[in-house]
Amino acid sequence: MNTLTRVLIVDDHAMFRAGVRAELGTSVEVIGEAADVDEAIAAVLAHRPDVVLLDVHLPGGGGAEVMRRLSTAGSADGPKFLALSVSDAAEDVIGTIRSGARGYVTKTITGPELVDAIRRVADGDAVFSPRLAGFVLDAFAGTIEISAVDEDLDRLTEREREVMRLIARGYAYKEVAKELFISIKTVETHMSSVLRKLQLSSRHELTRWASDRRLL
């Protein structure tokens, strides 16, 4: 009799967690959910999942902070981490892998593909969405440069970075609001803050700024 892989879902959007749980069905055993860094750490220590399905951008420091704190808590035999994020930006992917994740897939993944990714990560494989695998290899081979620190980018909050990337890619405010489960008014507020902090005057300048940094 096969033992089901025990999974913890970590994402700050309750509706998204519910959708992931529904997609996974009975193919794995979802042992809990968490919405921020502190909840994720408490849930891992309490339930000892095999795999943590981890969003990159979380309240409290992000997915990297979850892995860092669990590492310092002496969890060498702890769970494997699979990032599941809307972001496919190079610095997010590389930063997450450097922090200890065994894989990184985007939220465009299908339910069956996600189940397969979870099982492979649980077995020790490294798993990436096809488009991401190439630049992960390039980054670690030194073909592309991922800056450790970008002072301009560091001025933005995690949510502002998410809004910035989607707007720079040509999303309408309404589409950004739907993608991130926030109101259009909140998108407008974040966009105003992004332009002010980066000293830009339009979304066209923002797209050029993001393209120059390979953030699209």
Side-chain angles (χ1 to χ4, degrees):
M1 179 177 175
N2 293 328
T3 302
L4 290 177
T5 303
R6 302 172 73 251
V7 178
L8 174 70
I9 302 173
V10 182
D11 193 287
D12 56 334
H13 299 300
M15 289 181 61
F16 181 77
R17 297 197 303 272
V20 171
R21 183 187 280 266
E23 287 290 332
L24 295 176
T26 58
S27 299
V28 300
E29 181 185 0
V30 178
I31 53 86
E33 299 178 9
D36 58 30
V37 170
D38 289 340
E39 286 185 12
I41 291 170
V44 167
L45 296 177
H47 301 296
R48 301 292 179 182
D50 300 313
V51 174
V52 179
L53 205 53
L54 185 65
D55 194 7
V56 173
H57 300 290
L58 288 170
E65 179 67 8
V66 174
M67 291 183 279
R68 186 189 68 78
R69 286 172 56 182
L70 284 171
S71 175
T72 57
S75 301
D77 60 344
K80 296 180 174 65
F81 295 93
L82 173 62
L84 175 61
S85 175
V86 69
S87 172
D88 58 3
E91 78 276 12
D92 283 339
V93 179
I94 303 305
T96 300
I97 298 305
R98 282 177 173 161
S99 297
R102 293 290 304 175
Y104 193 118
V105 294
T106 59
K107 290 181 176 178
T108 58
I109 195 171
T110 67
E113 289 170 340
L114 183 57
V115 170
D116 180 65
I118 289 170
R119 288 173 173 165
R120 290 171 58 196
V121 165
D123 288 340
D125 290 345
V127 179
F128 300 95
S129 294
R131 199 184 78 79
L132 305 183
F135 69 67
V136 169
L137 290 173
D138 289 344
F140 283 95
T143 306
I144 62 175
E145 179 180 353
I146 306 298
S147 298
V149 177
D150 186 317
E151 292 183 357
D152 290 335
L153 199 59
D154 282 349
R155 295 191 185 100
L156 307 183
T157 66
E158 291 183 0
R159 181 61 87 192
E160 288 169 350
R161 292 186 191 193
E162 291 177 325
V163 171
M164 176 273 294
R165 289 193 185 95
L166 293 175
I167 292 293
R169 291 171 181 168
Y171 282 54
Y173 283 14
K174 181 179 180 181
E175 293 172 317
V176 175
K178 182 179 180 180
E179 183 76 19
L180 299 180
F181 300 99
I182 58 180
S183 70
I184 295 176
K185 181 65 177 177
T186 301
V187 174
E188 292 173 346
T189 300
H190 285 312
M191 184 59 178
S192 295
S193 180
V194 167
L195 293 177
R196 176 176 48 79
K197 289 182 178 179
L198 299 180
Q199 299 182 341
L200 301 174
S201 60
S202 70
R203 63 185 303 160
H204 300 294
E205 288 186 2
L206 178 64
T207 298
R208 186 163 56 249
W209 180 91
S211 178
D212 290 344
R213 285 163 173 75
R214 310 180 74 161
L215 298 176
L216 300 183

